[in-house]
Amino acid sequence: KRLKAGTSPSETGQLNPLQVSINFLGMAIGCICMVVIVVATLVSYLTGYQNPITPCADDDDWCLLLSSTSRGLIMAVSIIPHGLPFVVMVMLRVGSREMLLINGMVTRATAV
């Protein structure tokens, strides 16, 4: 089925292969980030690492758990926004490479 010019994927309900690849890679990077965050939080909690500026009492596990969780959330806030532009950049590069291999001609940047 051929799409009319100016028809967006949301109107047809179909995603092009690049969008499918970006969605897959984005989900994979998101899952990897979540695993890294959970592991960092667990390591921080199990080793008893504390912020030297505001340390918790020695017997206060709740304070240690909260500080470890906040450390994991800080990592999430910093990792995820840096990963998303990387996903798009890599997938555009892959799409451009595939078009080059089949001698494709790109007339619009959104066609990649």
Side-chain angles (χ1 to χ4, degrees):
K1 180 178 173 183
R2 191 170 171 103
L3 297 176
K4 295 186 305 186
T7 305
S8 68
S10 61
E11 293 172 5
T12 62
Q14 297 175 346
L15 297 175
N16 64 35
L18 180 62
Q19 289 172 326
V20 172
S21 297
I22 288 174
N23 287 344
F24 177 75
L25 187 58
M27 185 177 11
I29 288 178
C31 291
I32 291 169
C33 287
M34 294 308 286
V35 168
V36 167
I37 291 165
V38 168
V39 168
T41 301
L42 286 175
V43 167
S44 173
Y45 180 74
L46 295 176
T47 59
Y49 178 77
Q50 295 188 30
N51 186 356
I53 297 172
T54 56
C56 299
D58 289 336
D59 61 345
D60 193 2
D61 286 336
W62 184 250
C63 177
L64 185 60
L65 179 65
L66 288 177
S67 66
S68 298
T69 304
S70 69
R71 194 166 294 110
L73 291 175
I74 289 169
M75 286 182 69
V77 168
S78 65
I79 290 173
I80 292 174
H82 286 84
L84 294 178
F86 176 72
V87 169
V88 174
M89 179 191 65
V90 167
M91 295 314 298
L92 286 174
R93 179 70 181 132
V94 168
S96 298
R97 171 65 71 179
E98 288 179 7
M99 288 180 160
L100 176 70
L101 293 175
I102 62 170
N103 295 325
M105 184 171 137
V106 178
T107 58
R108 289 175 291 161
T110 57
V112 174

